[in-house]
Amino acid sequence: MDDTETQSPQSWWQRQLPPSPLARSLSVQSILFAIGEGAFVTGSAVFFTQIVGLSAAQVGIGLTVAGVTSFFFAVPAGKLADRVGTKRIWAISAALTSALYLVWPFIHGFVAYLAMMVVLEVVSQAGWSGRGAYTIDIFTREERVQSQAFMRAALNIGFTLGALIGGLALAANSDDVVRAVPVLTGVILLANTYWITRLPEPPAKATPAHADEAVIKPAALKNRAFLALMTGDGVLGSNQVLLNIVIPLWLVEETDAPRVLLAWLFGTNTVMAVLLQVAAARGVDSVARSLRASYISAGFFVLSCAIVLVTHDTMGWLTIVLVWLGHVTVTGAELFQSAGHWGFMSELTDAQQRAEYQGAAHIGDTLGSVWAPALYTWLAMEHGSLGWIVIAAIVVVSTLTMAPSARAAERYLARHGSAH
């Protein structure tokens, strides 16, 4: 009997599991990391105000300064990762991050907090550049995006578990318990560091044909088409602003929906991110299919705006259903935007400068989204339906620039880049 006849089709549950041992190992690492980070982030507002002794404004200043630091350090961190080794810099960053979390209970006052946030951001950025480059290099082109989808689903599982731990710590209503959370995070991240060191080494990069080739290779930021593409992708990624800020604010201030619906919205988002991310990323293995995923994401984004804008005038269960549906559609925008982004990073980054391109992508993403919380909130809350239409128009116009940028980035890489 032919082998194909004896093979039973995979069940739905089997399709939710990573297809290779390496993808499974990286998914476990993602869960470990996210449990640690999620536990701390959930109670961070209480920790910073009650334990570190900060005002809400000081907490915000620290987060802003850390974000600015990340923006300027992104490309240098990527260059460092390319030079030192992507897995090595990732492991070093993970170990330092673990140590920094163990120091948090001893931090008090704004100056110490600000210094800690900057150092933590610099270390984390180097690690994320290394991780991003490693997870592209370690897989074949056919496996990259699908494996990234499994890791993203694993991150969502981990953050959910971490949030549960953080929530239990807050429920104890004890400063000692809150003070212990970063210690627990540090221990979990230490286990995460060990797990990273056990991962296989990425393939060795091709040796340059000439000794000076690595020196004269253009910097990632010289690839302006790639930067433009990532900026457009950043605008598309501003679906997170709708998801986490604008729709919740709209629900509370502009509709008659009960506030408890917020819990259902975020619960639905988490379940969809875990169960549907792999399906959304399936088949995204080229620039053309990455663009297709971006277009689908934009379609969901616009549909969400169209649904939510009418809830200002609806009542009762109709409002509840429509707001929920608006959140579901913006989650669809999130899933397909992520898939498209991974495809672009797989296909349009120089194999010799993979981590540096991760940094350039971070800069593009920041340029495309840093203004969105203030602008989208102002448009929706101050201008109602017209504001939602303008938000949708911004996304459509930005998405239409992505195909020309992607093709130009392809041509640039063909002239100056290395093989995938």
Side-chain angles (χ1 to χ4, degrees):
M1 184 180 291
D2 192 292
D3 286 343
T4 58
E5 294 181 75
T6 61
Q7 291 176 347
S8 58
Q10 284 190 316
S11 66
W12 177 88
W13 175 249
Q14 288 173 316
R15 291 196 299 272
Q16 306 313 304
L17 299 177
S20 67
L22 177 58
R24 288 192 286 274
S25 291
L26 281 163
S27 295
V28 171
Q29 182 278 322
S30 296
I31 291 174
L32 269 176
F33 166 81
I35 289 175
E37 289 276 340
F40 181 75
V41 168
T42 300
S44 60
V46 174
F47 179 84
F48 290 145
T49 53
Q50 292 188 10
I51 307 301
V52 184
L54 306 175
S55 67
Q58 289 174 323
V59 173
I61 291 170
L63 292 171
T64 300
V65 171
V68 172
T69 301
S70 175
F71 180 84
F72 286 105
F73 193 73
V75 170
K79 289 182 177 180
L80 178 67
D82 282 324
R83 182 171 300 178
V84 173
T86 55
K87 179 190 165 187
R88 182 179 300 172
I89 203 73
W90 182 19
I92 292 171
S93 169
L96 289 175
T97 301
S98 171
L100 288 168
Y101 271 101
L102 295 176
V103 173
W104 263 126
F106 305 100
I107 296 295
H108 188 80
F110 178 65
V111 174
Y113 159 75
L114 195 61
M116 183 68 159
M117 290 297 290
V118 169
V119 172
L120 193 58
E121 189 63 40
V122 168
V123 170
S124 297
Q125 184 61 53
W128 276 108
S129 294
R131 178 189 184 276
Y134 175 88
T135 53
I136 293 175
D137 286 335
I138 200 68
F139 290 107
T140 65
R141 288 177 68 185
E142 294 74 22
E143 295 176 302
R144 286 171 184 166
V145 174
Q146 198 76 351
S147 297
Q148 292 274 10
F150 279 108
M151 286 183 275
R152 175 66 171 270
L155 279 173
N156 278 284
I157 293 171
F159 279 122
T160 302
L161 295 173
L164 178 61
I165 293 171
L168 291 173
L170 292 176
N173 199 27
S174 164
D175 283 356
D176 289 337
V177 174
V178 172
R179 192 177 281 108
V181 171
V183 176
L184 175 63
T185 292
V187 171
I188 294 172
L189 294 184
L190 188 61
N192 168 62
T193 302
Y194 174 75
W195 198 274
I196 293 170
T197 63
R198 303 299 296 173
L199 293 170
E201 294 295 327
K205 294 182 178 180
T207 305
H210 304 287
D212 62 346
E213 182 178 340
V215 176
I216 63 173
K217 187 179 284 290
L221 288 179
K222 294 282 188 181
N223 189 342
R224 293 186 179 89
F226 178 79
L227 193 61
L229 174 65
M230 289 295 103
T231 302
D233 186 57
V235 176
L236 201 52
S238 65
N239 57 68
Q240 293 297 295
V241 176
L242 257 61
L243 192 78
N244 297 314
I245 300 173
V246 183
I247 292 179
L249 279 175
W250 179 266
L251 181 151
V252 171
E253 297 190 15
E254 303 294 334
T255 78
D256 66 341
R259 296 187 179 190
V260 70
L261 179 60
L262 289 170
W264 289 98
L265 297 183
F266 289 110
T268 301
N269 171 260
T270 300
V271 171
M272 289 179 66
V274 171
L275 298 182
L276 300 180
Q277 182 64 81
V278 173
R282 190 166 289 124
V284 180
D285 55 5
S286 66
V287 173
R289 290 185 174 182
S290 299
L291 285 169
R292 178 176 176 271
S294 297
Y295 297 151
I296 295 172
S297 173
F300 275 120
F301 202 127
V302 171
L303 184 58
S304 178
C305 292
I307 292 170
V308 175
L309 75 83
V310 304
T311 59
H312 185 270
D313 300 313
T314 57
M315 297 184 67
W317 278 103
L318 180 58
T319 302
I320 292 172
V321 171
L322 288 176
V323 171
W324 178 81
L325 193 57
H327 216 254
V328 166
T329 50
V330 84
T331 300
E334 173 190 6
L335 300 180
F336 282 96
Q337 182 269 330
S338 297
H341 175 81
W342 297 325
F344 293 134
M345 295 305 297
S346 172
E347 298 298 308
L348 295 176
T349 55
D350 190 319
Q352 297 293 328
Q353 301 169 285
R354 198 81 79 185
E356 185 179 343
Y357 267 81
Q358 294 284 331
H362 177 76
I363 288 177
D365 175 73
T366 302
L367 292 173
S369 61
V370 68
W371 43 267
L375 181 61
Y376 287 2
T377 302
W378 177 73
L379 285 169
M381 306 308 292
E382 297 296 328
H383 298 280
S385 296
L386 177 61
W388 284 106
I389 292 169
V390 173
I391 292 170
I394 290 170
V395 171
V396 169
V397 171
S398 178
T399 305
L400 291 176
T401 70
M402 293 176 68
S405 297
R407 300 309 177 195
E410 270 189 310
R411 292 192 296 271
Y412 181 94
L413 209 59
R415 293 194 305 271
H416 302 289
S418 301
H420 297 288

